[in-house]
Amino acid sequence: MLLTTLLLSIPTPADPPLPSLYALRVGRAETIAHGTIEHAVVLIEAGKIVTVGQDLEVERGIPVIELPGATLLPGLVDCYSRLGLDSDGSSGFEPQAKASVELYPDQKIWAEILELGVTTLGLYPAGSGIPGQGFVVKPHGATREEMLLRDPSYLLVHMRSDPGSKKFLRDGLEKADDYDEKEKKNVEKWDKDQEKKGAKKDDKKEEKKEEAKSFDPSPPQDKAKKERKGYVPSEPDEKAKPFVELRQDKLRALCTLSKAADYLHLLDVLREETFEFDLRVFLRDDVDFHHVMDKFGEKKLRIAMDPRITLQPNTRRERSYAMELAAAGGKPVFVPRTDSINGLKDWLRHVGEVVGAGLDRQVALRAVTLEPAQLLGLGDRLGSLEPGKDANFVLYDGDPLEVSTRILAVILEGELVHGEIDQ
Amino acid sequence: MNSLLLLGAALLGSVMPSLVAQETSGSKSSDAKTADAKKDEAKKADPEPKWFAVVGGDVHTGTGGLLRGATVLAKDGVIESVGYSTDLPEGTEVLSARGLQVYPGLVAISASLAVSQGSRFLAEDDLHMRCCVDFGKNGHLHEGPLDAELDLLLADQAGLVDAQSDLRDAYDPFSSSLLMTLAVGITSAEQSGGALKLKRGEIDGVVMRERFLSSFTWTSASSGKTQLREKFAAAARYLREKREWDVRKDKVKDLPEPSKKGIEQKILSVLDGSARAKFNANDRDDLLGIARLAQEFGFRPVIEGCVEGWIVAEELGRAGAYAIVYPRQRRDKDENLVRAGGSSIENAAILHAHGVQVAIGPASNGIDLGGITGRDLLHLTVDADFAVRGGMTDAAALAGITTVPARILGIDHRVGTLEKGKDCDVIVTDGDVLHYETLVQYTVVAGKIAYDKQKELLFAHIRPRTPGDGKTSNSSGDSAPASAESQPPQR
């Protein structure tokens, strides 16, 4: 019913060729946004999802692909990878560096990645310290432009408990401070210039008013803003720019941590900063992130981690950090244990292990789709089955977290890019 | 009504201040309201103080006193009072130490803990590439050709303590070796010539002093000794000239400032007292040489090792030396020499008797689990016992792991004893701290319980504490009952 009403609002499908509009009817769909739907129907047009629902009736004339045995999942999103890139990268303080210069479309690996259900790949710059900015691609396309989804995605900051890495971040923020100060002066100067101009114009008319104004020590802020219509802010220094953009919410930061203390040191550098950041933690058997889990939860942080159960240091006590983070109010994101084709092959099996150890299934599925998409700044376009989002799907012949499950097909922006579907 | 209450307050003030406080705030006269408003203002300016008290233990203050069943009260991590019939402010966190012993937190000199290791190389991904810099015993890292460069660094960074300090920026307040250090009662430790307060779970305020001890090499070659003496002489001359210049520069125009060329900053800081010179020496002749150098230039040397110190104890005492002694260190006598030589079990006792300030350390300066009676920091108190076996008094041995190392590190105004105004670094043990059987039950750092034996996996299974014994509570509730069960091991 919903579908029919929606269909009315869709322009008549006369113009675009038939494959551009079709419906998928599957046994089960993991929508991520609204839980699991049995007997789901998804309507796709021009590479976007039009609607999703249970047992929807499809209007006559729209081709319906029937896959009653299949489970549909939004395309997987790997947000922290170096696949397909091979430079050694910079080291030290190179916040302006863009990893996207390394992107080279004509490689076999992109197809391999896509075949494993990964429709979005967040690539990060190689190097140490603050090595630069990452970018996002779809592993498909003949040119760089076709592949690129977003550039830059995040500023990568490797934070470790040592004076060196703390200094890098401090330096960057200081540069942004310098810029802000300079900009403040510029604005003041510009304001004065404008005032002069204005004063000249209506010199005679508003003489009295001007006098009244001059008594007012600080004109209201809103007014000052309005007056700055013609103002163009100066361009910050290339190394300061990423940090200025962080503060303006134009760029996000992804900070990597190796142990709990690193987080305290990160907070120690950030202090009063309010910009948003996500974390990437590396899980080994002796990690101690449980010490700061409540702090992670407090900020509702999104944290990319390996899907694995770790042991508490010096014990055989098992810990599931993804579960603890979710319980504390944070948002886990899963990244394959190893950044390789084999890692991608085992990815969902490892996620399944963590679910087996108690993590909520929906949280786990979210952690390989919507949350990584949000980490990459593409949460409004990818990661769930919702109207308006890209039609990126993986079709499985069973539960995606089950070991024996195979991928039937992969659909990227409405097009079949891997597998076979009987129409 | 109000005046009556105030009278009551004056009478009861010492007995039940909290009750009175509640009563007065309950009566809403206009006066009380303004007082409340003022209080609120004060609160905004300055957050509520955090009170913490260790109650009912036998308090060994470290200043010579033993106060049985006394209370140590701390405000915001600093000791407010030590004594009897203390009024606990409302909301005080109370740690009951009834039947237990209370000591100042121990100070580990020459420590090399894995709590503040920097990585020189930032790994791209994981830890594999991480290179941990271990600040070795005696600061070997600071020796050799690097010295000159480091001196410049030191001069540049002087005065930056805790603002952007290397030690602080590398501090790991969750490290497992930190936990083990706290478990044996160590609350302060030397790290690369500075002093760390071993706070758990936080990094603010962990550096008490940085780069205070600077290492000097007393070589056996005579040329090296002469050179060192000349350097000291040059530095002393410079200081004299500088002082004179400071006095005369206003009177005489264009008086040239004395040149600092060729003067080692390291030596200047030793001579002006902003750093302490630390030597590593064991041989009688070397010890005598260092004592003479120190007397000639008027500084108090810290001598690590000091194995043959017992032979020249008088001279070392006269030079005002500090000795860092490892009581289990052995050294054979050189049989080619007629004079006395080699190590002596009485070394620490003899040095102490001659006025040398003796700090005691373990043979290995890290934390390792290489044996049940290891020779590392886990057995600092056992090393102090070896000094006692050699004739040192208990009090002097305890001072050797508390007050003396604190003095050497220049942090004795903050730690080492339990006195008003010092940091509330307290350990609560189930017996004499020097007894081999004694275990630390609680370690308190800056007024916060940083280690509780029953809550950590390390020693919880050894003579488990009975419930109700030494439990924490809030002062508004009843204080914990005394435990009849725990009998402190007697020496």
Side-chain angles (χ1 to χ4, degrees), chain B residues 226-243:
Chain B
T226 319
Q227 261 177 28
L228 188 65
R229 210 205 138 266
E230 274 164 11
K231 279 181 191 165
F232 267 90
R237 202 179 315 121
Y238 167 78
L239 283 178
R240 259 198 313 277
E241 284 168 9
K242 178 86 187 340
R243 218 173 297 136

Tab-separated table of all heavy atoms in Angstrom, chain B residues 226-243:
chain	number	residue	atom	x	y	z
B	226	THR	N	90.999	15.066	36.501
B	226	THR	CA	91.528	16.425	36.446
B	226	THR	C	90.614	17.306	35.611
B	226	THR	O	90.296	18.432	35.994
B	226	THR	CB	92.939	16.408	35.822
B	226	THR	OG1	93.640	15.291	36.335
B	226	THR	CG2	93.682	17.674	36.109
B	227	GLN	N	90.194	16.745	34.486
B	227	GLN	CA	89.305	17.519	33.609
B	227	GLN	C	88.030	17.931	34.331
B	227	GLN	O	87.605	19.075	34.247
B	227	GLN	CB	88.931	16.666	32.398
B	227	GLN	CG	89.768	16.985	31.175
B	227	GLN	CD	89.409	16.059	30.025
B	227	GLN	OE1	88.288	15.580	29.926
B	227	GLN	NE2	90.394	15.804	29.178
B	228	LEU	N	87.438	16.975	35.022
B	228	LEU	CA	86.185	17.252	35.715
B	228	LEU	C	86.399	18.348	36.755
B	228	LEU	O	85.597	19.276	36.890
B	228	LEU	CB	85.645	15.980	36.368
B	228	LEU	CG	84.241	16.101	36.971
B	228	LEU	CD1	83.205	16.364	35.887
B	228	LEU	CD2	83.856	14.850	37.747
B	229	ARG	N	87.535	18.242	37.476
B	229	ARG	CA	87.829	19.235	38.492
B	229	ARG	C	87.974	20.606	37.863
B	229	ARG	O	87.465	21.604	38.364
B	229	ARG	CB	89.115	18.858	39.227
B	229	ARG	CG	89.127	19.344	40.657
B	229	ARG	CD	90.518	19.551	41.223
B	229	ARG	NE	90.560	20.783	41.989
B	229	ARG	CZ	90.935	21.945	41.502
B	229	ARG	NH1	91.323	22.043	40.246
B	229	ARG	NH2	90.912	23.024	42.270
B	230	GLU	N	88.650	20.642	36.719
B	230	GLU	CA	88.841	21.926	36.034
B	230	GLU	C	87.517	22.513	35.587
B	230	GLU	O	87.301	23.729	35.676
B	230	GLU	CB	89.772	21.743	34.830
B	230	GLU	CG	91.238	21.860	35.230
B	230	GLU	CD	92.177	21.302	34.169
B	230	GLU	OE1	91.699	21.011	33.046
B	230	GLU	OE2	93.370	21.137	34.478
B	231	LYS	N	86.647	21.649	35.108
B	231	LYS	CA	85.331	22.129	34.676
B	231	LYS	C	84.565	22.735	35.851
B	231	LYS	O	83.923	23.775	35.713
B	231	LYS	CB	84.522	20.966	34.088
B	231	LYS	CG	84.880	20.643	32.654
B	231	LYS	CD	84.019	19.511	32.144
B	231	LYS	CE	84.511	18.971	30.822
B	231	LYS	NZ	83.891	17.672	30.522
B	232	PHE	N	84.644	22.056	36.994
B	232	PHE	CA	83.980	22.587	38.182
B	232	PHE	C	84.599	23.918	38.572
B	232	PHE	O	83.896	24.879	38.909
B	232	PHE	CB	84.082	21.589	39.348
B	232	PHE	CG	82.897	20.666	39.438
B	232	PHE	CD1	82.893	19.461	38.777
B	232	PHE	CD2	81.777	21.021	40.175
B	232	PHE	CE1	81.796	18.615	38.840
B	232	PHE	CE2	80.678	20.186	40.240
B	232	PHE	CZ	80.685	18.975	39.570
B	233	ALA	N	85.929	23.971	38.501
B	233	ALA	CA	86.623	25.207	38.884
B	233	ALA	C	86.197	26.349	37.972
B	233	ALA	O	85.922	27.467	38.437
B	233	ALA	CB	88.129	24.989	38.819
B	234	ALA	N	86.118	26.059	36.661
B	234	ALA	CA	85.728	27.098	35.707
B	234	ALA	C	84.317	27.580	35.992
B	234	ALA	O	84.035	28.783	35.968
B	234	ALA	CB	85.825	26.541	34.289
B	235	ALA	N	83.438	26.630	36.270
B	235	ALA	CA	82.053	27.001	36.545
B	235	ALA	C	81.973	27.839	37.820
B	235	ALA	O	81.226	28.828	37.877
B	235	ALA	CB	81.187	25.753	36.682
B	236	ALA	N	82.738	27.447	38.830
B	236	ALA	CA	82.715	28.194	40.085
B	236	ALA	C	83.246	29.610	39.864
B	236	ALA	O	82.691	30.583	40.382
B	236	ALA	CB	83.558	27.471	41.131
B	237	ARG	N	84.310	29.693	39.042
B	237	ARG	CA	84.878	31.010	38.750
B	237	ARG	C	83.841	31.869	38.053
B	237	ARG	O	83.621	33.022	38.389
B	237	ARG	CB	86.115	30.835	37.856
B	237	ARG	CG	87.064	32.021	37.928
B	237	ARG	CD	88.285	31.788	37.034
B	237	ARG	NE	88.856	30.449	37.166
B	237	ARG	CZ	88.979	29.575	36.153
B	237	ARG	NH1	88.546	29.885	34.937
B	237	ARG	NH2	89.521	28.394	36.353
B	238	TYR	N	83.158	31.274	37.074
B	238	TYR	CA	82.129	32.004	36.338
B	238	TYR	C	81.056	32.530	37.289
B	238	TYR	O	80.656	33.690	37.208
B	238	TYR	CB	81.499	31.106	35.275
B	238	TYR	CG	80.243	31.688	34.692
B	238	TYR	CD1	80.299	32.709	33.738
B	238	TYR	CD2	78.984	31.255	35.099
B	238	TYR	CE1	79.164	33.268	33.219
B	238	TYR	CE2	77.829	31.805	34.587
B	238	TYR	CZ	77.924	32.806	33.641
B	238	TYR	OH	76.779	33.372	33.125
B	239	LEU	N	80.624	31.674	38.189
B	239	LEU	CA	79.567	32.094	39.119
B	239	LEU	C	80.024	33.257	39.992
B	239	LEU	O	79.270	34.195	40.255
B	239	LEU	CB	79.141	30.916	40.002
B	239	LEU	CG	78.223	29.882	39.347
B	239	LEU	CD1	77.917	28.756	40.313
B	239	LEU	CD2	76.924	30.526	38.864
B	240	ARG	N	81.292	33.176	40.417
B	240	ARG	CA	81.841	34.259	41.236
B	240	ARG	C	81.847	35.568	40.452
B	240	ARG	O	81.384	36.604	40.917
B	240	ARG	CB	83.268	33.910	41.672
B	240	ARG	CG	83.391	33.409	43.103
B	240	ARG	CD	84.812	33.489	43.610
B	240	ARG	NE	85.814	32.971	42.702
B	240	ARG	CZ	86.153	31.667	42.569
B	240	ARG	NH1	85.530	30.765	43.302
B	240	ARG	NH2	87.085	31.273	41.736
B	241	GLU	N	82.364	35.478	39.200
B	241	GLU	CA	82.457	36.681	38.365
B	241	GLU	C	81.079	37.236	38.062
B	241	GLU	O	80.863	38.442	38.035
B	241	GLU	CB	83.199	36.341	37.070
B	241	GLU	CG	84.705	36.208	37.281
B	241	GLU	CD	85.408	35.586	36.075
B	241	GLU	OE1	84.750	35.412	35.023
B	241	GLU	OE2	86.591	35.271	36.194
B	242	LYS	N	80.164	36.338	37.819
B	242	LYS	CA	78.791	36.753	37.484
B	242	LYS	C	78.188	37.504	38.676
B	242	LYS	O	77.533	38.546	38.499
B	242	LYS	CB	77.962	35.507	37.148
B	242	LYS	CG	76.508	35.772	36.820
B	242	LYS	CD	76.369	36.105	35.352
B	242	LYS	CE	75.003	36.567	34.890
B	242	LYS	NZ	73.860	36.279	35.685
B	243	ARG	N	78.420	36.966	39.856
B	243	ARG	CA	77.862	37.599	41.049
B	243	ARG	C	78.429	39.002	41.201
B	243	ARG	O	77.695	39.958	41.452
B	243	ARG	CB	78.197	36.745	42.288
B	243	ARG	CG	77.085	36.678	43.298
B	243	ARG	CD	77.407	35.687	44.395
B	243	ARG	NE	77.526	34.333	43.896
B	243	ARG	CZ	78.487	33.473	44.242
B	243	ARG	NH1	79.450	33.833	45.065
B	243	ARG	NH2	78.506	32.247	43.753
